[in-house]
């Protein structure tokens, strides 16, 4: 083999290795944008139910978590396997965290000692000892 052919072959191999590496990084980045390390979506799939009163669901990191004006059976996380994961299950199995919610919220608003994490059509209000998941407020 001539020197020229060897150089072309080496350049082609290096190009393929870098291309495969770039694709793997892209796939991993897209996965992390959708799911947390437990394989559960960062965002909820919500169904608004204005008749649903504030209801206790469970505890998360020292906070009592409530759901309000959302259908509790149809408000779920999605798993990487396309399963519905109820909020209660996500809490019991410690599949979600407040830090993940803050990291992937569209906007975080701080008000009078509490935070509101705003998403597409719902928000999560985080107070000192309670969390309320509800439709977007004005």
């Amino acid at each position: 083999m001539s020197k020229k052919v060897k150089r072309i072959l080496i350049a082609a191999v290096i190009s393929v290795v870098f291309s495969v590496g770039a694709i793997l990084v892209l796939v991993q980045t897209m996965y992390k944008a959708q799911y947390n390390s437990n394989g559960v979506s960062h965002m909820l799939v919500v169904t608004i139910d204005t008749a649903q009163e504030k209801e206790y669901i469970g505890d998360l990191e020292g906070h009592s978590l409530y759901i309000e004006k959302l259908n509790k059976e149809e408000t779920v996380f999605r798993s990487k396997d396309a399963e519905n994961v109820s909020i209660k299950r996500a809490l019991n199995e410690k599949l979600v965290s407040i830090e993940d919610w803050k990291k992937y919220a569209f906007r975080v608003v701080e008000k009078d000692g509490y935070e509101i994490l705003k998403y597409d059509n719902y928000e999560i209000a985080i107070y000192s000892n309670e969390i309320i998941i509800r439709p977007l407020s004005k």
Side-chain angles (χ1 to χ4, degrees), residues 38-94:
N38 295 316
V40 175
S41 61
H42 294 296
M43 294 177 223
L44 284 162
V45 176
V46 301
T47 301
I48 296 174
D49 179 1
T50 56
Q52 174 68 45
E53 294 185 20
K54 182 178 170 182
E55 184 175 332
Y56 174 77
I57 301 296
D59 293 317
L60 177 64
E61 300 173 16
H63 295 76
S64 297
L65 188 134
Y66 298 88
I67 192 167
E68 181 178 42
K69 296 183 182 173
L70 297 174
N71 182 305
K72 67 179 180 178
E73 282 79 31
E74 294 179 19
T75 297
V76 296
F77 293 98
R78 296 289 287 175
S79 74
K80 65 181 179 182
D81 301 324
E83 290 180 40
N84 288 339
V85 178
S86 71
I87 296 173
K88 189 173 216 82
R89 177 178 160 208
L91 296 177
N92 290 341
E93 296 179 16
K94 297 181 180 6

Side-chain angles (χ1 to χ4, degrees), residues 111-137:
K111 287 186 167 187
D112 302 325
Y114 68 96
E115 292 177 294
I116 298 178
L117 312 179
K118 300 222 177 223
Y119 297 88
D120 189 32
N121 58 347
Y122 71 97
E123 65 188 24
I124 301 174
I126 303 173
Y127 299 90
S128 62
N129 60 351
E130 74 176 17
I131 298 171
I132 304 171
I133 302 174
R134 60 190 180 210
L136 283 174
S137 60

